[in-house]
Amino acid sequence: MNGKEPSSIKNAVDDLLETSIFKEILKRNNKIFAEKLAIWLVRYILMISSMNESLKIDLEEVLYNLHGEKFRQIIEVTEKTFGKVKKNSENFDNYIC
């Protein structure tokens, strides 16, 4: 971490890095990548949560407002990908396949 993050964000990032999915990301990539990803995810989550709170719109609408038509494409690709993984995997206990 760069030391410039407010302590609440730093705590959230540290908590996220301790999750099993981030431990797996760390194994597959490197510490710098995992930390940067965690920072961006925490910021993204806080921004989306703030938009929901202030604008009173649901998650999908917030995401569509942020990403436009790309959001629909992301949904299509991830649904196909995770559907294939689940269908072809006897052991779906892994976070990252």
Side-chain angles (χ1 to χ4, degrees), residues 7 17 20 22 30 35 41 43 48 56 61 64-65 78 86:
S7 63
L17 288 168
S20 57
F22 264 85
N30 60 56
E35 286 177 349
L41 285 174
R43 289 176 177 168
I48 289 171
K56 306 293 186 224
E61 189 173 345
Y64 187 77
N65 288 340
T78 56
K86 187 174 182 179

Side-chain angles (χ1 to χ4, degrees), residues 10-34:
K10 182 184 181 323
N11 291 341
V13 169
D14 290 345
D15 289 347
L16 189 55
L17 288 168
E18 290 300 315
T19 64
S20 57
I21 192 167
F22 264 85
K23 288 178 181 179
E24 187 66 28
I25 289 169
L26 181 63
K27 278 193 255 177
R28 292 171 174 251
N29 295 277
N30 60 56
K31 183 178 180 180
I32 293 171
F33 178 85

Side-chain angles (χ1 to χ4, degrees), residues 27-78:
K27 278 193 255 177
R28 292 171 174 251
N29 295 277
N30 60 56
K31 183 178 180 180
I32 293 171
F33 178 85
E35 286 177 349
K36 285 182 178 182
L37 179 59
I39 290 167
W40 278 105
L41 285 174
V42 167
R43 289 176 177 168
Y44 190 72
I45 290 165
L46 292 172
M47 181 181 63
I48 289 171
S49 176
S50 294
M51 288 178 72
N52 173 262
E53 181 181 18
S54 62
L55 302 174
K56 306 293 186 224
I57 54 179
D58 65 13
L59 176 63
E60 289 77 13
E61 189 173 345
V62 170
L63 293 172
Y64 187 77
N65 288 340
L66 289 172
H67 301 290
E69 193 54 38
K70 289 285 184 192
F71 173 65
R72 295 201 199 299
Q73 293 170 351
I74 291 167
I75 294 296
E76 287 176 20
V77 168
T78 56

